[in-house]
Every structure is written in C-alpha cells, then in structure tokens.
C-alpha cells in the first residue's frame, strides 16, 4: 500500500459546484498534514494546513480524521480558477526534522 | 524577497555528463529539500537538509549529491547523468516550526538527459 494515496481524478465539475477530495495515509505516526495546489507546469503552492479540529479558509475546508487516517479538502462554490491539481502532504518526524511524503495529486477541472 | 530561486530553468545533458542544479532562498529557512516530479509519480524527496552542514537522504537519493555550506544555498549535483534522471526538479524551503513543515517551492528545473 502506498504511504499516501489520492484519487487522481479528474474531477470534472461545473462552476458553483461543491467538490471534495480525500487523501489516505498509512503511517499512523504522521505528525502534520497539508494541502498544496499545483497548476500545470508550475511549482506546488501551499493551500492550507490541516488540523484535527478542522479549518476553513474562505471557500476551502480541510479536515483530518486520525482514527481513519485520512484528510479531506472541500471546495465550495467552485470557480474556473480552481482548476488545478491538489496535492496532499503528510509529514512524519519531530524536532525540526520532518520527512514529507506527497500524494500523486487529484486533478480538478471546473467548467463553465 | 525573491523567495526560492532555481537555476537553470531548462537543461539538456548527455548520458554521463555531470551538472549542478542551483537553489537559493532568502527567507532564512532552516529546512531545504530537493524533489523530482515525474508523470504519474508525484513529487519524490531526493535529499533534504535541516540546517547548514546537515544533509540526509530522502526516498530517491541514488545518483545525486547535496551539500549545505550556508543557510541560503542547497545545490543538487548529478554525478553521471542517466536518461532515468530526466524529470522536473523542485527545490523547497521551509521554517520547520512546531506546526510542521509548510514549504515554499522554487519554479523548477526541467532536465532532459539524452
């Protein structure tokens, strides 16, 4: 089983739709979790951190379920500009020495 | 702030040649790392450094060397290029606070090995 797994998609949704992605991880010792966004032929950019209590940033909501070992990203009121690949990242390690593992990404296409 | 810069943007090498990919950051981050990204494979960690003078191997270190003599710079050396090293290489830096590791990436270097 891969350490971090994502459904590659693509998720093809109309503008204004709500879409959710999940990311499962296998290492229960994982310490911290993030979502990144990557546009075609560009570098990944941090979208948001994921906390156990859940966190929201505008139209984006991220949640962590440690018991079931997955994180999720919910996008409400999708915009054309949300079209991108969404990468989940799971970090293990402590004391400033973290080992990040990236999922392969989920592709989102928002159409008019 | 320039953030994370990488040079060159593109490079074509012949099998067996060596080269150094440059990476620099001006955010005074302790943690720096190198990744390669291949189609369908996602980002894979090559090497990382938690501070000047300290480096360690990631998931796919074979064929690559790194050093970290300053906080700002973290070059990646390809010792003898092979076609399997054709990829997009990203350098990243981060402040590894208690919240973990939120990384800032450079624009990438696209490498083709013939």
């Amino acid at each position: 089983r891969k350490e971090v797994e994502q459904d590659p998609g693509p998720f093809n949704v109309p503008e204004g739709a709500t879409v959710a992605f999940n990311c499962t991880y296998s290492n229960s010792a994982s310490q911290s979790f993030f979502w990144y966004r990557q546009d075609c032929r560009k570098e990944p950019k941090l979208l948001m951190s994921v906390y156990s209590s859940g966190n929201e940033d505008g139209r984006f909501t991220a949640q962590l379920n440690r018991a079931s070992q997955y994180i999720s990203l919910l996008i409400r009121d999708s915009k054309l500009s949300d079209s991108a690949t969404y990468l989940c990242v799971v970090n293990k390690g402590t004391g400033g020495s973290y080992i990040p593992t990236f999922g392969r990404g989920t592709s989102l296409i928002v159409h008019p | 702030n320039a953030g994370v810069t990488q040079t060159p943007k593109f490079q074509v090498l012949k099998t067996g040649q060596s080269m150094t990919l440059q990476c620099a950051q001006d955010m005074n981050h302790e943690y720096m790392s190198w990744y390669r990204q291949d189609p369908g494979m996602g980002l894979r960690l090559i090497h990382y450094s938690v501070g000047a003078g300290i480096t360690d191997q990631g998931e796919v270190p074979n064929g690559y060397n790194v050093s970290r003599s300053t906080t700002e710079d973290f070059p990646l050396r390809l010792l003898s290029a092979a076609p399997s090293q054709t990829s997009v290489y990203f350098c990243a830096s981060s402040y590894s606070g208690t919240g973990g590791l939120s990384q800032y990436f450079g624009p990438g270097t696209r490498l083709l090995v013939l």
Side-chain angles (χ1 to χ4, degrees):
Chain A
R1 180 183 173 186
K2 296 185 184 66
E3 198 165 333
V4 179
E5 294 203 61
Q6 293 183 255
D7 180 345
F11 285 63
N12 205 322
V13 304
E15 273 186 291
T18 295
V19 61
F21 314 132
N22 279 349
C23 169
T24 59
Y25 61 94
S26 59
N27 190 333
S28 59
S30 299
Q31 298 289 328
S32 55
F33 309 86
F34 300 87
W35 283 102
Y36 282 73
R37 171 196 168 121
Q38 186 173 27
D39 294 294
C40 188
R41 299 181 67 79
K42 297 286 191 180
E43 72 273 21
K45 292 187 177 175
L46 178 66
L47 183 63
M48 57 199 304
S49 307
V50 188
Y51 304 119
S52 297
S53 55
N55 48 305
E56 190 172 308
D57 182 1
R59 298 181 292 109
F60 298 82
T61 300
Q63 292 200 306
L64 165 64
N65 185 318
R66 283 194 184 272
S68 300
Q69 294 185 203
Y70 74 87
I71 64 173
S72 63
L73 179 67
L74 179 79
I75 306 175
R76 289 181 299 277
D77 189 22
S78 299
K79 312 289 184 193
L80 295 175
S81 57
D82 293 334
S83 297
T85 297
Y86 291 83
L87 309 171
C88 70
V89 183
V90 174
N91 292 335
K92 56 188 178 191
T94 57
S97 182
Y98 293 88
I99 308 293
T101 302
F102 279 75
R104 294 185 182 186
T106 297
S107 175
L108 172 65
I109 301 170
V110 182
H111 59 81
Chain B
N1 283 355
V4 181
T5 57
Q6 290 185 239
T7 55
K9 286 188 168 53
F10 304 95
Q11 184 70 49
V12 179
L13 290 179
K14 294 181 180 176
T15 297
Q17 287 185 314
S18 62
M19 78 161 294
T20 299
L21 280 63
Q22 301 291 345
C23 174
Q25 53 95 4
D26 61 0
M27 297 174 281
N28 202 30
H29 286 164
E30 302 108 345
Y31 191 106
M32 295 186 74
S33 51
W34 276 102
Y35 297 86
R36 60 177 290 173
Q37 186 172 36
D38 303 294
M41 295 296 294
L43 282 148
R44 291 183 291 170
L45 184 65
I46 304 172
H47 286 284
Y48 66 99
S49 168
V50 299
I54 307 169
T55 64
D56 209 342
Q57 295 181 351
E59 180 186 355
V60 288
N62 292 343
Y64 307 95
N65 267 358
V66 291
S67 59
R68 183 98 179 267
S69 55
T70 66
T71 299
E72 293 78 21
D73 300 298
F74 190 43
L76 178 72
R77 295 183 194 83
L78 277 69
L79 309 173
S80 176
S84 60
Q85 293 179 304
T86 292
S87 189
V88 181
Y89 291 85
F90 289 104
C91 177
S93 78
S94 60
Y95 165 66
S96 56
T98 54
L101 208 65
S102 54
Q103 301 187 72
Y104 296 85
F105 284 82
T109 293
R110 284 166 174 73
L111 176 67
L112 174 62
V113 182
L114 301 174

